[in-house]
Amino acid sequence: MNSKLKLDQLNIHFGAAQAVKNVSLDFPANTVTAIIGPSGCGKSTVLRSINRMHDLTPSARVTGRVLLDDADIYDRKVDPVAVRRRIGMVFQKANPFPAMTIYDNVISGYKLNGRVKKAEMDEIVESSLKRVALWDEVKDRLKTSAMALSGGQQQRLCIARTVAVQPEVILMDEPCSALDPIATLKIEELIDELKEQYTVVIVTHNMQQAARVSDFTAFLYLGELIEFDVTKKIFTNPAKSQTEDYITGRFG
Amino acid sequence: MITYALRRRLTNHLMTILMVGAALAVMAPLGIIFVHILKMGASSLSMDFFTQIPKPTGESGGGMANGLAGSALMIGLASCFGLPIGILGAVYLTEFGGTRFATAIRFSADVLAGIPSIITGMVAYTLLVVPMKGFSALAGAVALALIMIPIVLRTTEEQLKMVPGTLREASLALGVPFWRTSLKVTLVSARSGIITGVLLSIARIAGETAPLLFTALGNQFWSRKLTEPMAAIPLQIFNFAISPYEDWHRLAWAGALVLVVIMFTLNLTARYFGRNRH
Amino acid sequence: MTEHLVTQFDTDLNEIRSKLLEMGGKVEKMIHDSMKALVERNTELAESTIEYDHEINRLEVEIDELCLEALVQRQPAARDLRFITMAMKIDTDLERIGDKCRNIAKRARELNELPPLKPYIDLPQMADLAAAMVNDALTAFVRWDDQLAYTVCHRDDEVNLLNEQIQGELLTFMIKDPGTITRAIKINAIARHLERIADHATNVAEMVIFMVKGKDVRHLGIDPK
């Protein structure tokens, strides 16, 4: 399997504290990889390094390489903005732009960048909303505020906004942690569909969710990669005792 | 036991009365001012007030049309100078707020906001009136802008700080450059709060008299040139109120009424925008 | 192994474990009792053994309920998941062993009504072997001992050999004297039941290996390591 994304000896420091230690990981194309681990293990930190979100934190220092199609996104010549156009991100709490309508939220990736042809907009909005199975629910109120949607709908809207700009990789940072079980299942089903087109990396606290949605699972503990394997293997017969202890609820 | 319960009830009543009294004491001055100005000004208010310029001494009638226009013009001009500086400065402070330079700016803004407005007028006098060899509307607008900037800067910064970081991240994650994110997401998300701040700062400068004394000076007639002295409502109220003529006194009251109504409207509008925030 | 953060989970798992042990002990008793009823021509013991099967069935239901509850409440993973799912399969095998013992006791009851064909020597030996296999498979289960489980799998061959031996012997009886056919068929059935019991014990041992190693050894030919 060819890897779409690759972490090579990734180290992340915040000031003097090291949050991520020497993590190397391969994310094969068109798969879902879950990153699990107890709070503070560095899983979100790893995820956010993949689209250079740490650039905004002055104290953060990322060393090592993050290879997207074998090109290091931390290379000096690479523009972080260009990286983020190829690697989209969905956040823990649904964060639609409050001042925008549903329609504008979906198209926001284009509008905010000021590069959009009027004729294409309708089509992008419709296909993106259909992609996340939200079209039928909102097609009659596209021009109303996105804030009137339910939490689960807002999160799907955020995913629609992300897929609208046609990224290659989608990062998800605990996308269901604020949602009820039904909304969670809808998102999970969606993740399964998304992998046909995208490479998905999801951070989750919910181990059952990782077991349900992912093809591969990485277990991080105290900033180190403890184990990475096929998800089924991790959850039925992990190789490392730390992984076993964590997923069976013996520490956490 | 009974005495204790009684004492507790008495204390309760006493405190309630004290607090209601304090609340009334806050509201009473506003009521008194409003009623008094309404009583004195309403009778002198007519269409002439809005259409005529002051009549020469001795003649009755006349209005403050030139003052209204002058105030509007100078406030507009001050906004043109002050709002971009204040708002963009606030954007700078929120996005790069950690530096020592930013702390210095914040401190300067706080000091500037605390400086008596008459001193601001004197500064504008030294900077503009003296070199230009004459009082001017332009100098007045600059003085008003100087008062406006710190208010707009600090209120806008507060509003921008309230925009959740997740929105900024959402925009950046879509591949939107940092500067576009600041202007199109952060600023837009905070817009109702910023409008509130802007309206309150306009309300503040609309009533300023002192800085205009040294700059716009005032004018009995129509004036269309920015380089010449210009009338303004607060200046006219001031000048007419200290004059010995009864007719001018009445015009001053009418002006005061109009000014209070304008302030009142601005404040209410500001509150409306303030409440509308998500 | 350290304890779970939720100690109730440990309590639940221990209860499943001890119930399975109880069930295994009772199954062993049934093997011995049914054989004793046959060898000593004790019809009363045969009757009580037939009755005793209800105990086994009850335990199977109880264990399944406990396992389902644990699955729903704890959503177990890794070794806990393997333990619980295997416990659910093991209790099925034990229940089947109970059924076989019941059938043996029924045949013993019938045989006791007829004159003895020959002294029983190989059958009790077979029963002892099968009972020991059940015992060891459960010991391996409790101790997470895959090596012991492997030995159980290997011992199945001995039981099969004895079964073939008995069948050959019975065949000679029947050829020599057709009057023995009724009894020989019943004895043959008992031998087949014992052989099946050993197969169930082997199943249990294979599940123990999966539980310990996370590796499925069924239908592969047993090979330690």
Side-chain angles (χ1 to χ4, degrees):
Chain A
M1 225 176 309
N2 59 324
S3 63
K4 177 76 189 170
L5 188 69
K6 205 169 179 174
L7 308 184
D8 181 24
Q9 306 272 306
L10 187 72
N11 284 282
I12 303 172
H13 290 80
F14 291 105
Q18 184 163 10
V20 173
K21 294 167 193 161
N22 244 351
V23 169
S24 296
L25 268 176
D26 262 20
F27 304 95
N30 300 98
T31 59
V32 178
T33 302
I35 303 179
I36 60 168
S39 301
C41 72
K43 49 191 191 307
S44 289
T45 311
V46 167
L47 193 77
R48 294 165 66 84
S49 72
I50 299 175
N51 68 345
R52 296 192 58 168
M53 273 298 179
H54 294 305
D55 289 17
L56 307 168
T57 316
S59 67
R61 191 158 49 83
V62 180
T63 58
R65 297 189 302 163
V66 176
L67 302 166
L68 177 64
D69 288 335
D70 296 321
D72 187 6
I73 63 163
Y74 279 94
D75 192 288
R76 220 165 270 187
K77 283 170 277 180
V78 173
D79 175 11
V81 171
V83 168
R84 294 187 200 120
R85 280 186 194 155
R86 297 176 64 191
I87 306 181
M89 190 164 191
V90 176
F91 298 85
Q92 189 168 356
K93 204 171 163 292
N95 52 1
F97 299 116
M100 293 186 194
T101 62
I102 293 171
Y103 186 98
D104 285 346
N105 260 286
V106 178
I107 206 75
S108 56
Y110 294 86
K111 265 199 169 167
L112 291 173
N113 274 317
R115 50 185 176 96
V116 61
K117 287 180 199 144
K118 273 257 183 270
E120 287 173 7
M121 280 186 2
D122 289 344
E123 203 186 310
I124 293 170
V125 169
E126 183 171 343
S127 70
S128 304
L129 285 173
K130 279 184 173 160
R131 193 88 198 72
V132 302
L134 195 59
W135 175 251
D136 289 329
E137 289 165 57
V138 301
K139 64 180 173 204
D140 299 325
R141 45 175 172 152
L142 290 172
K143 300 289 181 181
T144 61
S145 168
M147 302 313 282
L149 297 176
S150 73
Q153 289 173 325
Q154 286 189 14
Q155 192 61 296
R156 274 183 284 153
L157 179 65
C158 291
I159 298 175
R161 176 175 73 184
T162 304
V163 300
V165 294
Q166 296 179 318
E168 295 157 48
V169 176
I170 298 180
L171 309 174
M172 298 188 161
D173 192 357
E174 297 181 37
C176 304
S177 62
L179 303 182
D180 67 71
I182 300 295
T184 300
L185 287 181
K186 283 185 185 166
I187 302 270
E188 286 178 3
E189 197 186 326
L190 178 57
I191 291 171
D192 202 51
E193 286 166 19
L194 288 178
K195 77 174 175 191
E196 284 165 23
Q197 261 178 288
Y198 312 97
T199 303
V200 180
V201 184
I202 175 172
V203 161
T204 177
H205 261 130
N206 181 336
M207 283 180 273
Q208 277 74 44
Q209 178 168 70
R212 284 192 298 263
V213 302
S214 69
D215 304 299
F216 297 91
T217 298
F219 172 57
L220 251 62
Y221 183 56
L222 299 175
E224 285 179 77
L225 178 68
I226 305 296
E227 192 170 348
F228 174 71
D229 212 321
V230 175
T231 296
K232 188 186 154 221
K233 176 85 167 52
I234 294 279
F235 284 97
T236 57
N237 190 25
K240 299 282 169 57
S241 63
Q242 279 158 300
T243 316
E244 173 118 27
D245 285 352
Y246 178 66
I247 62 171
T248 57
R250 285 180 168 86
F251 77 85
Chain B
M1 267 308 80
I2 290 167
T3 49
Y4 176 71
L6 191 66
R7 206 177 64 194
R8 199 180 54 192
R9 252 204 333 257
L10 281 176
T11 318
N12 187 23
H13 284 305
L14 187 69
M15 293 312 284
T16 312
I17 289 164
L18 280 175
M19 278 183 284
V20 168
L24 285 177
V26 173
M27 281 158 62
L30 180 66
I32 293 166
I33 290 171
F34 206 72
V35 167
H36 190 66
I37 287 179
L38 203 63
K39 200 171 74 190
M40 304 298 287
S43 54
S44 323
L45 210 56
S46 62
M47 269 319 282
D48 280 358
F49 179 87
F50 298 101
T51 51
Q52 305 281 310
I53 62 167
K55 291 269 165 69
T57 35
E59 286 179 42
S60 68
M64 291 188 173
N66 59 344
L68 280 170
S71 273
L73 188 91
M74 280 190 284
I75 289 168
L77 205 56
S79 300
C80 289
F81 299 142
L83 294 186
I85 295 175
I87 291 173
L88 291 176
V91 172
Y92 175 83
L93 287 184
T94 9
E95 302 293 6
F96 308 95
T99 61
R100 198 171 292 177
F101 182 54
T103 316
I105 294 177
R106 239 177 244 125
F107 180 72
S108 317
D110 287 344
V111 173
L112 193 58
I115 287 177
S117 55
I118 191 156
I119 294 176
T120 314
M122 285 160 67
V123 170
Y125 175 85
T126 331
L127 286 179
L128 285 165
V129 177
V130 174
M132 288 171 74
K133 297 192 172 60
F135 298 102
S136 67
L138 186 68
V142 168
L144 292 181
L146 284 178
I147 296 169
M148 201 171 191
I149 288 168
I151 302 173
V152 172
L153 184 86
R154 292 296 267 160
T155 53
T156 305
E157 192 197 352
E158 289 307 315
Q159 295 303 323
L160 290 178
K161 268 199 272 185
M162 279 164 57
V163 175
T166 54
L167 284 186
R168 217 164 301 182
E169 287 184 342
S171 169
L172 291 167
L174 287 170
V176 179
F178 191 75
W179 65 272
R180 274 182 187 274
T181 300
S182 296
L183 294 183
K184 291 196 165 185
V185 174
T186 316
L187 207 55
V188 169
S189 301
R191 70 181 166 196
S192 57
I194 294 172
I195 290 174
T196 305
V198 166
L199 289 177
L200 288 176
S201 73
I202 289 176
R204 164 81 197 275
I205 59 167
E208 282 294 343
T209 319
L212 296 180
L213 287 173
F214 293 97
T215 50
L217 189 67
N219 195 328
Q220 285 289 81
F221 308 101
W222 283 108
S223 146
R224 288 201 178 77
K225 285 189 180 158
L226 291 178
T227 48
E228 284 175 4
M230 189 176 272
I233 290 281
L235 279 178
Q236 284 180 325
I237 294 171
F238 175 72
N239 285 330
F240 286 15
I242 57 173
S243 76
Y245 312 110
E246 191 59 30
D247 217 33
W248 283 16
H249 287 176
R250 293 200 302 107
L251 265 183
W253 280 116
L257 177 61
V258 168
L259 199 56
V260 165
V261 168
I262 289 171
M263 302 276 248
F264 204 65
T265 316
L266 281 172
N267 271 289
L268 282 180
T269 321
R271 281 189 67 88
Y272 168 78
F273 278 106
R275 188 177 335 175
N276 226 6
R277 235 165 318 156
H278 46 273
Chain C
M1 176 108 297
T2 48
E3 291 189 343
H4 287 93
L5 294 171
V6 182
T7 50
Q8 183 60 41
F9 190 19
D10 285 319
T11 315
D12 295 347
L13 292 180
N14 280 332
E15 196 179 348
I16 292 170
R17 190 174 296 122
S18 59
K19 284 245 176 224
L20 262 175
L21 274 187
E22 185 190 344
M23 194 175 175
K26 289 189 166 165
V27 163
E28 271 180 71
K29 179 178 148 53
M30 276 185 86
I31 299 173
H32 289 306
D33 283 355
S34 60
M35 201 40 59
K36 204 173 166 194
L38 176 75
V39 174
E40 294 176 2
R41 300 179 69 82
N42 184 343
T43 303
E44 210 174 300
L45 185 58
E47 297 284 359
S48 68
T49 305
I50 292 167
E51 273 308 300
Y52 200 67
D53 192 35
H54 294 305
E55 284 282 303
I56 308 291
N57 294 347
R58 178 182 60 83
L59 275 168
E60 187 197 16
V61 173
E62 281 180 18
I63 292 168
D64 279 354
E65 264 175 24
L66 285 172
C67 289
L68 277 178
E69 217 166 279
L71 284 175
V72 167
Q73 290 177 346
R74 316 291 172 195
Q75 285 135 18
R79 60 188 301 143
D80 298 332
L81 180 65
R82 303 201 303 268
F83 174 86
I84 293 172
T85 48
M86 288 306 113
M88 288 183 83
K89 297 187 76 164
I90 288 172
D91 73 358
T92 312
D93 275 297
L94 291 179
E95 192 271 334
R96 300 289 276 283
I97 295 175
D99 289 348
K100 299 282 178 279
C101 293
R102 188 159 166 260
N103 288 340
I104 292 173
K106 278 182 183 168
R107 297 295 90 77
R109 192 171 60 183
E110 292 157 11
L111 282 165
N112 289 352
E113 305 294 317
L114 304 167
L117 181 65
K118 67 171 204 93
Y120 303 113
I121 298 162
D122 291 337
L123 278 181
Q125 200 192 337
M126 229 180 134
D128 285 344
L129 270 174
M133 282 170 73
V134 173
N135 186 306
D136 284 350
L138 281 168
T139 308
F141 175 74
V142 176
R143 293 192 193 145
W144 290 73
D145 185 344
D146 56 314
Q147 292 303 317
L148 182 57
Y150 276 118
T151 69
V152 173
C153 298
H154 288 300
R155 271 142 63 191
D156 191 35
D157 295 342
E158 289 178 49
V159 178
N160 290 343
L161 208 64
L162 272 174
N163 183 34
E164 279 166 31
Q165 221 172 303
I166 290 170
Q167 279 180 350
E169 208 182 329
L170 289 170
L171 209 58
T172 15
F173 269 106
M174 291 190 277
I175 292 167
K176 272 198 244 163
D177 176 5
T180 60
I181 286 179
T182 320
R183 283 167 289 168
I185 286 177
K186 293 188 194 301
I187 294 170
N188 185 34
I190 291 175
R192 282 218 339 268
H193 286 319
L194 288 172
E195 191 267 333
R196 294 292 300 147
I197 289 175
D199 287 347
H200 285 301
T202 309
N203 284 354
V204 172
E206 284 168 350
M207 288 161 202
V208 171
I209 294 167
F210 174 74
M211 183 180 87
V212 177
K213 308 284 276 186
K215 189 168 89 180
D216 200 333
V217 295
R218 288 176 304 172
H219 320 303
L220 291 176
I222 302 303
D223 175 31
K225 292 283 146 61

mmCIF file of all heavy atoms in Angstrom, chain B residues 111-137:
data_model
loop_
_atom_site.group_PDB
_atom_site.id
_atom_site.type_symbol
_atom_site.label_atom_id
_atom_site.label_comp_id
_atom_site.label_asym_id
_atom_site.label_seq_id
_atom_site.Cartn_x
_atom_site.Cartn_y
_atom_site.Cartn_z
ATOM 1 N N VAL B 111 -3.576 55.616 28.404
ATOM 2 C CA VAL B 111 -3.201 56.954 28.858
ATOM 3 C C VAL B 111 -3.923 58.011 28.020
ATOM 4 O O VAL B 111 -4.509 58.951 28.540
ATOM 5 C CB VAL B 111 -1.674 57.151 28.771
ATOM 6 C CG1 VAL B 111 -1.301 58.599 29.085
ATOM 7 C CG2 VAL B 111 -0.969 56.211 29.734
ATOM 8 N N LEU B 112 -3.921 57.775 26.696
ATOM 9 C CA LEU B 112 -4.569 58.719 25.781
ATOM 10 C C LEU B 112 -6.044 58.871 26.128
ATOM 11 O O LEU B 112 -6.602 59.971 26.114
ATOM 12 C CB LEU B 112 -4.413 58.209 24.339
ATOM 13 C CG LEU B 112 -4.742 59.182 23.218
ATOM 14 C CD1 LEU B 112 -3.881 60.427 23.328
ATOM 15 C CD2 LEU B 112 -4.540 58.524 21.867
ATOM 16 N N ALA B 113 -6.699 57.769 26.474
ATOM 17 C CA ALA B 113 -8.116 57.804 26.820
ATOM 18 C C ALA B 113 -8.346 58.597 28.093
ATOM 19 O O ALA B 113 -9.407 59.183 28.288
ATOM 20 C CB ALA B 113 -8.644 56.382 26.977
ATOM 21 N N GLY B 114 -7.324 58.640 28.939
ATOM 22 C CA GLY B 114 -7.492 59.317 30.213
ATOM 23 C C GLY B 114 -7.142 60.794 30.169
ATOM 24 O O GLY B 114 -7.410 61.537 31.100
ATOM 25 N N ILE B 115 -6.533 61.235 29.075
ATOM 26 C CA ILE B 115 -6.119 62.637 28.979
ATOM 27 C C ILE B 115 -7.353 63.538 28.820
ATOM 28 O O ILE B 115 -8.237 63.249 28.019
ATOM 29 C CB ILE B 115 -5.170 62.837 27.774
ATOM 30 C CG1 ILE B 115 -3.803 62.239 28.102
ATOM 31 C CG2 ILE B 115 -5.031 64.310 27.403
ATOM 32 C CD1 ILE B 115 -2.822 62.328 26.961
ATOM 33 N N PRO B 116 -7.410 64.631 29.585
ATOM 34 C CA PRO B 116 -8.562 65.542 29.463
ATOM 35 C C PRO B 116 -8.685 66.048 28.028
ATOM 36 O O PRO B 116 -7.679 66.345 27.370
ATOM 37 C CB PRO B 116 -8.212 66.690 30.422
ATOM 38 C CG PRO B 116 -7.211 66.114 31.361
ATOM 39 C CD PRO B 116 -6.476 65.058 30.616
ATOM 40 N N SER B 117 -9.904 66.168 27.559
ATOM 41 C CA SER B 117 -10.111 66.453 26.148
ATOM 42 C C SER B 117 -9.596 67.852 25.775
ATOM 43 O O SER B 117 -9.194 68.099 24.645
ATOM 44 C CB SER B 117 -11.579 66.308 25.796
ATOM 45 O OG SER B 117 -12.348 67.118 26.646
ATOM 46 N N ILE B 118 -9.545 68.742 26.745
ATOM 47 C CA ILE B 118 -9.069 70.103 26.420
ATOM 48 C C ILE B 118 -7.591 70.070 26.037
ATOM 49 O O ILE B 118 -7.131 70.823 25.174
ATOM 50 C CB ILE B 118 -9.330 71.073 27.604
ATOM 51 C CG1 ILE B 118 -9.087 72.506 27.145
ATOM 52 C CG2 ILE B 118 -8.473 70.745 28.811
ATOM 53 C CD1 ILE B 118 -9.820 73.518 27.949
ATOM 54 N N ILE B 119 -6.888 69.100 26.641
ATOM 55 C CA ILE B 119 -5.465 68.971 26.315
ATOM 56 C C ILE B 119 -5.301 68.416 24.901
ATOM 57 O O ILE B 119 -4.444 68.839 24.129
ATOM 58 C CB ILE B 119 -4.755 68.107 27.368
ATOM 59 C CG1 ILE B 119 -4.785 68.871 28.700
ATOM 60 C CG2 ILE B 119 -3.322 67.768 26.955
ATOM 61 C CD1 ILE B 119 -4.217 68.125 29.862
ATOM 62 N N THR B 120 -6.184 67.475 24.568
ATOM 63 C CA THR B 120 -6.166 66.961 23.201
ATOM 64 C C THR B 120 -6.371 68.109 22.218
ATOM 65 O O THR B 120 -5.714 68.192 21.175
ATOM 66 C CB THR B 120 -7.286 65.920 23.022
ATOM 67 O OG1 THR B 120 -7.270 65.045 24.134
ATOM 68 C CG2 THR B 120 -7.119 65.155 21.744
ATOM 69 N N GLY B 121 -7.301 69.008 22.568
ATOM 70 C CA GLY B 121 -7.547 70.179 21.730
ATOM 71 C C GLY B 121 -6.306 71.022 21.588
ATOM 72 O O GLY B 121 -5.961 71.488 20.488
ATOM 73 N N MET B 122 -5.571 71.183 22.691
ATOM 74 C CA MET B 122 -4.362 72.013 22.639
ATOM 75 C C MET B 122 -3.312 71.366 21.756
ATOM 76 O O MET B 122 -2.585 72.052 21.029
ATOM 77 C CB MET B 122 -3.805 72.214 24.056
ATOM 78 C CG MET B 122 -4.624 73.215 24.860
ATOM 79 S SD MET B 122 -4.356 73.049 26.615
ATOM 80 C CE MET B 122 -2.662 73.577 26.750
ATOM 81 N N VAL B 123 -3.244 70.030 21.804
ATOM 82 C CA VAL B 123 -2.277 69.330 20.967
ATOM 83 C C VAL B 123 -2.608 69.570 19.497
ATOM 84 O O VAL B 123 -1.743 69.929 18.684
ATOM 85 C CB VAL B 123 -2.269 67.823 21.293
ATOM 86 C CG1 VAL B 123 -1.457 67.056 20.261
ATOM 87 C CG2 VAL B 123 -1.716 67.593 22.688
ATOM 88 N N ALA B 124 -3.890 69.405 19.147
ATOM 89 C CA ALA B 124 -4.297 69.616 17.760
ATOM 90 C C ALA B 124 -4.015 71.059 17.350
ATOM 91 O O ALA B 124 -3.619 71.346 16.213
ATOM 92 C CB ALA B 124 -5.777 69.291 17.593
ATOM 93 N N TYR B 125 -4.184 71.981 18.302
ATOM 94 C CA TYR B 125 -3.905 73.403 18.054
ATOM 95 C C TYR B 125 -2.441 73.583 17.673
ATOM 96 O O TYR B 125 -2.117 74.202 16.668
ATOM 97 C CB TYR B 125 -4.246 74.193 19.312
ATOM 98 C CG TYR B 125 -3.884 75.661 19.232
ATOM 99 C CD1 TYR B 125 -4.763 76.575 18.639
ATOM 100 C CD2 TYR B 125 -2.684 76.130 19.782
ATOM 101 C CE1 TYR B 125 -4.442 77.918 18.566
ATOM 102 C CE2 TYR B 125 -2.346 77.471 19.713
ATOM 103 C CZ TYR B 125 -3.234 78.369 19.101
ATOM 104 O OH TYR B 125 -2.913 79.692 19.031
ATOM 105 N N THR B 126 -1.562 72.962 18.472
ATOM 106 C CA THR B 126 -0.133 73.104 18.220
ATOM 107 C C THR B 126 0.272 72.440 16.911
ATOM 108 O O THR B 126 1.108 72.932 16.162
ATOM 109 C CB THR B 126 0.687 72.453 19.361
ATOM 110 O OG1 THR B 126 -0.091 72.524 20.547
ATOM 111 C CG2 THR B 126 2.006 73.135 19.543
ATOM 112 N N LEU B 127 -0.342 71.275 16.656
ATOM 113 C CA LEU B 127 0.076 70.496 15.485
ATOM 114 C C LEU B 127 -0.481 71.039 14.184
ATOM 115 O O LEU B 127 0.168 70.972 13.146
ATOM 116 C CB LEU B 127 -0.350 69.037 15.648
ATOM 117 C CG LEU B 127 0.451 68.199 16.640
ATOM 118 C CD1 LEU B 127 -0.108 66.804 16.711
ATOM 119 C CD2 LEU B 127 1.925 68.192 16.284
ATOM 120 N N LEU B 128 -1.712 71.578 14.225
ATOM 121 C CA LEU B 128 -2.361 71.952 12.972
ATOM 122 C C LEU B 128 -2.696 73.432 12.853
ATOM 123 O O LEU B 128 -2.410 74.072 11.844
ATOM 124 C CB LEU B 128 -3.648 71.137 12.790
ATOM 125 C CG LEU B 128 -3.408 69.676 12.394
ATOM 126 C CD1 LEU B 128 -4.650 68.859 12.597
ATOM 127 C CD2 LEU B 128 -2.934 69.615 10.966
ATOM 128 N N VAL B 129 -3.291 73.973 13.924
ATOM 129 C CA VAL B 129 -3.759 75.356 13.831
ATOM 130 C C VAL B 129 -2.587 76.319 13.668
ATOM 131 O O VAL B 129 -2.614 77.195 12.802
ATOM 132 C CB VAL B 129 -4.609 75.721 15.060
ATOM 133 C CG1 VAL B 129 -5.026 77.180 15.003
ATOM 134 C CG2 VAL B 129 -5.816 74.803 15.135
ATOM 135 N N VAL B 130 -1.529 76.103 14.460
ATOM 136 C CA VAL B 130 -0.393 77.020 14.398
ATOM 137 C C VAL B 130 0.308 76.965 13.029
ATOM 138 O O VAL B 130 0.442 77.989 12.373
ATOM 139 C CB VAL B 130 0.599 76.773 15.565
ATOM 140 C CG1 VAL B 130 1.842 77.638 15.411
ATOM 141 C CG2 VAL B 130 -0.090 77.032 16.902
ATOM 142 N N PRO B 131 0.711 75.742 12.568
ATOM 143 C CA PRO B 131 1.373 75.717 11.251
ATOM 144 C C PRO B 131 0.472 76.197 10.129
ATOM 145 O O PRO B 131 0.950 76.812 9.173
ATOM 146 C CB PRO B 131 1.731 74.236 11.045
ATOM 147 C CG PRO B 131 1.457 73.550 12.300
ATOM 148 C CD PRO B 131 0.657 74.418 13.179
ATOM 149 N N MET B 132 -0.844 75.905 10.217
ATOM 150 C CA MET B 132 -1.743 76.286 9.119
ATOM 151 C C MET B 132 -2.207 77.735 9.251
ATOM 152 O O MET B 132 -2.964 78.225 8.420
ATOM 153 C CB MET B 132 -2.972 75.367 9.085
ATOM 154 C CG MET B 132 -2.637 73.957 8.587
ATOM 155 S SD MET B 132 -4.024 72.848 8.793
ATOM 156 C CE MET B 132 -5.093 73.419 7.490
ATOM 157 N N LYS B 133 -1.757 78.338 10.326
ATOM 158 C CA LYS B 133 -2.064 79.743 10.570
ATOM 159 C C LYS B 133 -3.558 80.017 10.545
ATOM 160 O O LYS B 133 -4.050 80.898 9.842
ATOM 161 C CB LYS B 133 -1.348 80.639 9.523
ATOM 162 C CG LYS B 133 0.158 80.531 9.615
ATOM 163 C CD LYS B 133 0.811 81.622 8.788
ATOM 164 C CE LYS B 133 2.312 81.681 8.990
ATOM 165 N NZ LYS B 133 3.005 80.427 8.633
ATOM 166 N N GLY B 134 -4.311 79.204 11.286
ATOM 167 C CA GLY B 134 -5.736 79.528 11.382
ATOM 168 C C GLY B 134 -6.522 78.352 11.895
ATOM 169 O O GLY B 134 -6.122 77.187 11.710
ATOM 170 N N PHE B 135 -7.633 78.707 12.581
ATOM 171 C CA PHE B 135 -8.511 77.643 13.059
ATOM 172 C C PHE B 135 -9.179 76.970 11.869
ATOM 173 O O PHE B 135 -9.444 77.615 10.857
ATOM 174 C CB PHE B 135 -9.576 78.218 13.992
ATOM 175 C CG PHE B 135 -8.966 78.835 15.217
ATOM 176 C CD1 PHE B 135 -8.820 80.217 15.340
ATOM 177 C CD2 PHE B 135 -8.532 77.997 16.256
ATOM 178 C CE1 PHE B 135 -8.248 80.765 16.468
ATOM 179 C CE2 PHE B 135 -7.960 78.558 17.384
ATOM 180 C CZ PHE B 135 -7.817 79.936 17.496
ATOM 181 N N SER B 136 -9.447 75.627 12.011
ATOM 182 C CA SER B 136 -10.056 74.948 10.876
ATOM 183 C C SER B 136 -10.854 73.737 11.322
ATOM 184 O O SER B 136 -10.623 73.172 12.387
ATOM 185 C CB SER B 136 -8.970 74.498 9.894
ATOM 186 O OG SER B 136 -8.184 73.500 10.489
ATOM 187 N N ALA B 137 -11.810 73.356 10.491
ATOM 188 C CA ALA B 137 -12.609 72.161 10.731
ATOM 189 C C ALA B 137 -11.714 70.934 10.743
ATOM 190 O O ALA B 137 -11.914 70.003 11.502
ATOM 191 C CB ALA B 137 -13.667 72.014 9.646
#
